[in-house]
Amino acid sequence: MKKRSIKNTRINEEVLRELSNILRGEIKDPRVSPLCSVVAVEVAPDLKTAKAYISVLGDEKAQQDTMEGLKCSAGYIRRQLAANINLRNTPEIHFILDQSIEYGVRMSKMIDEVNNK
């Protein structure tokens, strides 16, 4: 497992916070679900790329539409991120659908069903 520096951890948290604000208030694309949230962000040490893990509540179509809308809005999101965060390089953002919350809810329901029997 790779050791993370304190600087990289702080940058990840700052990008996560600003990306959440941008998705919540500035994206006007109707494909992007209002029930989407940023779960985690991993910025590369050279600040060139970032992986943003996005969770979307809803069915599969809502998830796919939201991811498509975010990919189309990536340039605008990157520009807003550059305006809000003072970094040497503004990372290119790659959006990844994170289904861990949905998986956790499904497993919790299965455990409850087994306990009730």
Side-chain angles (χ1 to χ4, degrees), residues 6-38:
I6 295 171
K7 177 185 172 189
N8 199 3
T9 303
R10 284 192 348 234
I11 290 172
N12 288 344
E13 291 172 3
E14 186 67 24
V15 171
L16 175 100
R17 184 173 34 254
E18 287 300 325
L19 195 56
S20 296
N21 290 337
I22 292 168
L23 289 183
R24 184 177 56 239
E26 299 179 21
I27 297 294
K28 304 294 187 221
D29 193 333
R31 294 177 289 183
V32 177
S33 170
L35 298 175
C36 72
S37 62
V38 182

Side-chain angles (χ1 to χ4, degrees), residues 65-97:
D65 288 346
T66 298
M67 294 308 292
E68 186 66 31
L70 289 175
K71 287 179 184 172
C72 291
S73 302
Y76 173 77
I77 294 170
R78 185 176 183 190
R79 188 169 51 249
Q80 291 302 109
L81 200 59
N84 295 338
I85 298 177
N86 185 17
L87 290 174
R88 181 179 43 217
N89 296 320
T90 303
E92 181 182 343
I93 302 168
H94 300 285
F95 295 102
I96 300 170
L97 184 63

